[in-house]
Structures are given as C-alpha cells and as structure tokens.
C-alpha cells in the first residue's frame, strides 16, 4: 500500500507555483516582487487559520450552556490567535528589507489591486464584531465596491452570522451569582467605588502645582467618569450611552464582565476572566498589526495614495483606534478597586464560586 507523500499532503505544487510576478509579465522582472507576493500569501494563510480558530470560539460560546471545560477550550483558541497576531507583524520587518525604490520598480503594475481587497481580512473584522456602521470607509462606495462578485458574496454571508462580540455578549448575559436574596452586590460595590471618586477629588485639593484651569479639567474628568460608572446601574442612562455609541455591550453583559474582573481570583471566575483578558489582548494585537502596517506603508510610499485609491497612511492610522471591538472591557479598569476595598461576598455566593470539592 502506497503511503501519503509529504508534497502531496501539503499540495506544495500548488503553493510553490502560486508566485507569478506581474513585473515579469511586462518584461521587466523585479527581484523584490517575489518577497512581496510571498509575505502577503503568508498573511492570507494566517488569516485563514485565525478564522478557523474564531469560528470554533463562536460555536462554543454560542451554546445555551457552556461548561467550564468548554470555556477553557475557547480561551485556548483565543490564545492561539493571539500568538499568531504576535508573530505576523514581524513579517513587515522582512518586507522592509525591500527599499522604497525597489518597491517602485513593480508597484505601478499592481493597480488597482490592494489590501482592501483581502476578503479574508474583511471577514476577520466582521467576525470579530467591527460594526459596519462605525467602519471607516475608503470612500462613499466602501470596501465592498472593490471586491469581485464571488468575494463580495462570501463577505456578505459573514455579515449575516453572529460575530464574536455578539456571542461574548450573550455568554456574559447568562452569568449568575451577582444577586441573591437579601444581598445586592452592586449596592456594596457602588459605594466602594464612590469613595474612590471622592478620594480623587480630595487629593486634587492638596496638589498646589495645578492651575485653576488644570484643576477644573481634572474635576470634569472625574465627574464624567463618575457619571459613566453610575450609568452602569441605571437602565435608561446606560441605553443612552449605547445610543450615543459610547457603549457597545448590554448593561447586563457589562456588569457581568465587571463582576468577573473584580472577583477574578474566585476559582469559577478565573477562566472567564482569562478569556476576557485574552479578548482585550487580541484587540490590542490587532491594533499593533494595523499600526505596524501603517508604519510600513508610510516608509514605502510616504503620503501617496494607496494602489486601491485610499488616502494611504491617514486612513490606516485612523483604523488603529477606531476599529477596536472590546473597548467596553478595557474601560472597566477605571472602576477596579484594590483587594482591601473590594466588598466581601456573602457565603451563599462565595461557595458557588468555588469548586465543589473546596466547598
């Protein structure tokens, strides 16, 4: 019986035969174009793996009941994505061994092809939960106009599916533990955080190096932070923040994320907290990837427009911060207390947050 052959298994004939230089087709082969093609093909392969991992996370967390072991599995998938996102920006440093002049030897042959036509990256953004309404568009026609019909259909199909952000929100909304008869966790916690705001105001009065304008500015900042915190517990106020785009996740999901973060050392909350932290890390790493791409583009073409017709550097730089997905979780750090000031949970809740053998 003939066994499986390495090259056949990996389809190396297809992969290694997939580098066709446009410059050679025009009779002016540019040595650096091979590097340009291979780096971008490698990006696309990693995007495919990322989508494979995130698809499983959405499937796991989207179930009606998610056992602890499955939360750990989802965490492992996200951590793998984060390892990939840590590694792939380094490919830009390989690409930057090519000089701007060497890039210009073949750049004109690429029009109007562009990274904006990477339907896998568009699917990645959509699957994460980048809202279409808040997406920075290249122009009035948007990125869809740059895709061919087949790729457009693939991306549109992704829009119809639950995103990772949607799934995480529903998973958080199912979190129990926060309330029980005769005890409301949030009343205790609100009082403790309010003391922090009062402390910060008092500390400002003791700082004699601030001008009146600077002190007033910091007081306004504390007041805004206090108002946002209090809105977490008032449905109407919270929905106003969502309508304004200041919040994305539901009130219950946000409170659940805060509860997990505050009591992350409780055994049954450790893995959910690590998952939330890994999602924040993923958001950061995607921003790093975007920023690294932006810096590379600036080095290669300066302030020129991209081959796809975008404003190039300016557009890419704005996406670094405006296409983040899990900023609601990052904002919760504003309300985290030191361990000594965290309210103790009543026994009936504390026991639920320990493993059965410990209880």
């Amino acid at each position: 019986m003939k066994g499986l052959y390495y090259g056949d298994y990996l389809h190396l004939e297809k992969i290694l035969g997939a580098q066709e230089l446009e410059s050679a087709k025009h009779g002016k082969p540019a040595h650096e174009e091979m590097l340009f093609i291979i780096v971008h093909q490698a990006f696309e392969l990693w995007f495919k793996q990322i989508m494979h991992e995130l698809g499983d996370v959405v499937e796991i967390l989207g179930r009606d009941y998610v056992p602890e072991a499955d939360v750990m599995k989802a965490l492992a998938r996200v951590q793998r994505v984060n390892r990939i996102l840590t590694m792939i920006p380094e490919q830009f440093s390989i690409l930057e061994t090519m000089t701007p002049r060497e890039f210009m030897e073949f750049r004109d042959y690429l029009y109007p092809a562009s990274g904006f036509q990477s339907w896998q990256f568009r699917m990645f953004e959509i699957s994460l939960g980048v809202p279409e309404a808040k997406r920075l568009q290249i122009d009035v026609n948007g990125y869809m106009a740059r895709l061919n019909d087949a790729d457009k259909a693939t991306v549109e199909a992704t829009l119809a599916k639950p995103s990772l952000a949607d799934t995480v929100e529903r998973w958080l909304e199912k979190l129990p533990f926060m309330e029980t008869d005769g005890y409301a966790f949030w009343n205790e916690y609100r009082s403790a955080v309010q003391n922090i705001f009062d402390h910060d105001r008092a500390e400002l009065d003791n700082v004699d190096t601030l001008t009146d304008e600077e002190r007033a500015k910091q007081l306004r900042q504390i007041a805004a932070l206090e108002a946002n915190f209090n809105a977490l517990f008032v449905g109407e106020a919270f929905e106003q923040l969502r309508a304004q785009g200041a919040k994305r996740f539901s009130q219950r999901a946000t409170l659940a994320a805060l509860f997990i973060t505050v009591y992350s050392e409780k055994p049954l909350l450790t893995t959910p907290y690590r998952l939330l932290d890994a999602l924040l890390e993923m958001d950061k790493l995607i921003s790093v990837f975007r920023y690294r791409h932006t810096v590379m583009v600036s080095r290669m073409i300066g302030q020129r427009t991209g081959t796809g017709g975008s404003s190039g550097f300016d557009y890419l730089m704005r996406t670094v911060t405006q296409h983040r997905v899990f900023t609601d979780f990052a904002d919760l750090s504003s309300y985290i207390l030191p361990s000594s000031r965290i309210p103790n949970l009543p026994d009936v809740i504390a026991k639920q947050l320990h493993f059965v053998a410990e209880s």
Side-chain angles (χ1 to χ4, degrees):
M1 180 178 176
K2 184 180 179 181
L4 185 64
Y5 187 65
Y6 177 81
D8 293 339
Y9 177 61
L10 297 179
H11 295 278
L12 291 182
E13 183 177 353
K14 294 180 182 177
I15 295 173
L16 300 181
Q19 295 78 39
E20 297 183 5
L21 276 60
E22 285 297 310
S23 56
K25 295 177 184 179
H26 289 79
K28 297 180 179 180
H31 178 83
E32 305 300 325
E33 190 179 357
M34 178 67 76
L35 174 66
F36 187 82
I37 292 173
I38 288 177
V39 167
H40 284 81
Q41 287 176 336
F43 279 137
E44 293 296 332
L45 284 172
W46 285 122
F47 294 158
K48 183 172 184 177
Q49 183 64 39
I50 287 171
M51 292 296 297
H52 181 64
E53 303 296 341
L54 292 185
D56 204 45
V57 175
V58 169
E59 195 278 327
I60 291 170
L61 297 182
R63 298 168 188 163
D64 291 336
Y65 171 67
V66 186
E68 175 76 9
D70 285 353
V71 177
M72 180 65 78
K73 186 182 294 183
L75 169 62
R77 302 284 189 264
V78 175
Q79 289 176 328
R80 179 177 291 165
V81 169
N82 288 349
R83 287 291 186 93
I84 295 170
L85 289 171
T86 299
M87 178 272 299
I88 59 176
E90 288 303 311
Q91 293 181 186
F92 290 121
S93 64
I94 301 173
L95 199 58
E96 286 171 339
T97 62
M98 172 177 62
T99 68
R101 180 189 57 76
E102 289 169 334
F103 179 46
M104 292 305 161
E105 295 296 331
F106 63 90
R107 182 178 187 255
D108 285 350
Y109 300 132
L110 306 183
Y111 283 95
S114 164
F116 293 115
Q117 295 169 335
S118 171
W119 54 271
Q120 282 203 121
F121 192 73
R122 299 285 83 82
M123 286 176 61
F124 177 26
E125 292 179 317
I126 293 166
S127 296
L128 282 174
V130 175
E132 289 296 292
K134 291 187 176 181
R135 180 187 294 279
L136 286 171
Q137 295 292 358
I138 308 164
D139 53 33
V140 293
N141 296 315
Y143 69 89
M144 284 286 194
R146 287 164 167 76
L147 301 177
N148 63 32
D149 290 342
D151 292 346
K152 187 183 299 183
T154 302
V155 173
E156 287 175 342
T158 306
L159 283 168
K161 299 176 182 177
S163 69
L164 177 62
D166 296 333
T167 306
V168 168
E169 180 179 52
R170 288 194 296 273
W171 169 67
L172 285 170
E173 288 173 342
K174 299 172 188 174
L175 183 79
F177 311 127
M178 291 186 292
E179 304 289 338
T180 189
D181 292 340
Y183 177 81
F185 156 75
W186 297 122
N187 291 339
E188 297 279 343
Y189 198 76
R190 287 182 72 178
S191 177
V193 174
Q194 184 61 55
N195 290 336
I196 296 297
F197 294 137
D198 294 339
H199 173 268
D200 288 349
R201 290 192 185 92
E203 285 298 306
L204 278 179
D205 290 336
N206 297 325
V207 180
D208 55 12
T209 57
L210 294 174
T211 66
D212 290 342
E213 183 179 352
E214 290 170 338
R215 181 174 284 102
K217 181 180 179 180
Q218 293 202 30
L219 286 172
R220 287 195 299 271
Q221 183 176 344
I222 294 172
L225 190 62
E226 184 178 25
N228 282 337
F229 176 70
N230 289 327
L232 292 177
F233 311 97
V234 182
E236 183 178 349
F238 190 86
E239 288 307 312
Q240 286 180 353
L241 289 177
R242 293 184 79 189
Q244 295 165 4
K247 297 292 180 185
R248 187 223 174 104
F249 292 94
S250 70
Q251 181 185 22
R252 180 164 181 80
T254 304
L255 290 175
L258 180 58
F259 186 83
I260 289 170
T261 303
V262 172
Y263 293 103
S264 60
E265 294 183 358
K266 301 296 182 182
L268 289 183
L269 295 182
T270 299
T271 301
Y273 171 73
R274 289 176 62 197
L275 177 56
L276 294 182
D277 191 56
L279 292 172
L280 276 176
E281 178 71 5
M282 182 167 60
D283 229 8
K284 181 197 78 174
L285 291 170
I286 295 168
S287 291
V288 170
F289 174 83
R290 293 183 190 278
Y291 177 74
R292 192 67 183 82
H293 179 213
T294 302
V295 171
M296 187 273 296
V297 168
S298 176
R299 177 179 181 271
M300 291 296 181
I301 67 171
Q303 295 296 318
R304 295 175 65 176
T305 58
T307 51
S310 77
S311 59
F313 175 84
D314 291 338
Y315 170 85
L316 292 171
M317 184 57 79
R318 285 187 293 149
T319 66
V320 172
T321 56
Q322 294 189 41
H323 282 184
R324 293 181 66 190
V325 174
F326 297 103
T327 53
D328 283 17
F329 299 157
D331 291 344
L332 296 179
S333 296
S334 303
Y335 318 125
I336 300 304
L337 301 170
S339 299
S340 60
R341 299 189 185 185
I342 294 176
N344 291 321
L345 292 172
D347 289 343
V348 66
I349 293 181
K351 287 181 179 180
Q352 293 181 68
L353 296 175
H354 283 77
F355 297 120
V356 174
E358 293 180 354
S359 298

